């Protein structure tokens, strides 16, 4: 079912459009999810601290076994997204951009700053996003 929905999004929007749509959906979902979990955030964090806390929260919510901020990257191991991809070239699948958007939405909620994640490594069980 998940792969079918992703395929339909690709057919409708094209490959680049699907990545954009799913990233945006992830950002909006991240904002809403964190807001529903903690309500109004009591302060404003700097982007780096917001990203560090985002990793902790998403790991606690079991989006992956390990999510760490390391040397300008977010390293994710044993995630829930790459397991559902049926094809071989995982980097081409737009669901990877949903996860990036989810992280970006969390950071935006806590810091009022934008962070942009770009996938560098996508393997079964491991995603590495470079961030700026």
């Amino acid at each position: 079912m998940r792969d079918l929905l992703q395929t339909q999004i690709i057919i409708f929007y094209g490959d680049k459009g699907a990545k954009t749509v799913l990233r945006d959906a992830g950002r909006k979902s991240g904002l809403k999810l964190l807001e529903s979990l903690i309500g109004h955030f009591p302060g404003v964090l700097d982007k780096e601290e917001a990203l560090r806390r985002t990793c902790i929260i998403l790991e606690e919510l079991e989006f992956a076994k390990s999510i760490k901020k390391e040397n300008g990257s977010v390293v994710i191991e044993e995630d829930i997204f790459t397991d559902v991809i049926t094809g071989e070239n995982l980097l081409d699948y737009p669901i990877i951009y949903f996860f990036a958007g989810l992280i970006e939405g969390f950071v935006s909620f806590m810091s009022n700053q934008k962070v942009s994640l770009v996938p560098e490594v996508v393997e079964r069980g491991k995603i590495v996003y470079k961030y700026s």
Side-chain angles (χ1 to χ4, degrees), residues 5 8 30 88 109 128:
L5 177 61
Q8 293 301 315
E88 292 304 313
F109 183 84
V128 178

Side-chain angles (χ1 to χ4, degrees), residues 84-114:
V84 299
I85 296 173
T86 56
E88 292 304 313
N89 189 2
L90 280 60
L91 188 58
D92 287 340
Y93 279 79
I95 194 67
I96 301 306
Y97 291 85
F98 177 84
F99 200 13
L102 189 67
I103 294 167
E104 292 166 354
F106 269 52
V107 172
S108 174
F109 183 84
M110 289 189 273
S111 71
N112 292 329
Q113 294 179 320
K114 287 187 175 186

Side-chain angles (χ1 to χ4, degrees), residues 58-83:
L58 289 173
E59 188 176 306
E60 283 291 316
L61 292 173
E62 297 183 356
F63 279 89
K65 186 168 184 148
S66 172
I67 305 175
K68 304 288 183 229
K69 183 175 92 60
E70 302 175 350
N71 305 319
S73 296
V74 175
V75 179
I76 302 164
E77 296 179 349
E78 295 185 42
D79 63 283
I80 63 170
F81 294 99
T82 57
D83 284 346

Side-chain angles (χ1 to χ4, degrees), residues 14-84:
D15 187 48
K16 286 185 180 183
K19 291 173 182 175
T20 301
V21 166
L22 285 173
R23 180 187 293 271
D24 190 52
R27 282 185 191 127
K28 289 177 182 171
S29 297
L31 287 168
K32 292 295 183 187
L33 176 59
L34 197 52
E35 184 178 44
S36 72
L37 290 172
I38 63 174
H40 176 71
F41 198 69
V44 177
L45 302 174
D46 69 64
K47 182 168 64 174
E48 294 290 325
E49 179 60 17
L51 187 55
R52 186 187 74 77
R53 289 187 188 192
T54 293
C55 293
I56 293 168
I57 293 167
L58 289 173
E59 188 176 306
E60 283 291 316
L61 292 173
E62 297 183 356
F63 279 89
K65 186 168 184 148
S66 172
I67 305 175
K68 304 288 183 229
K69 183 175 92 60
E70 302 175 350
N71 305 319
S73 296
V74 175
V75 179
I76 302 164
E77 296 179 349
E78 295 185 42
D79 63 283
I80 63 170
F81 294 99
T82 57
D83 284 346
V84 299

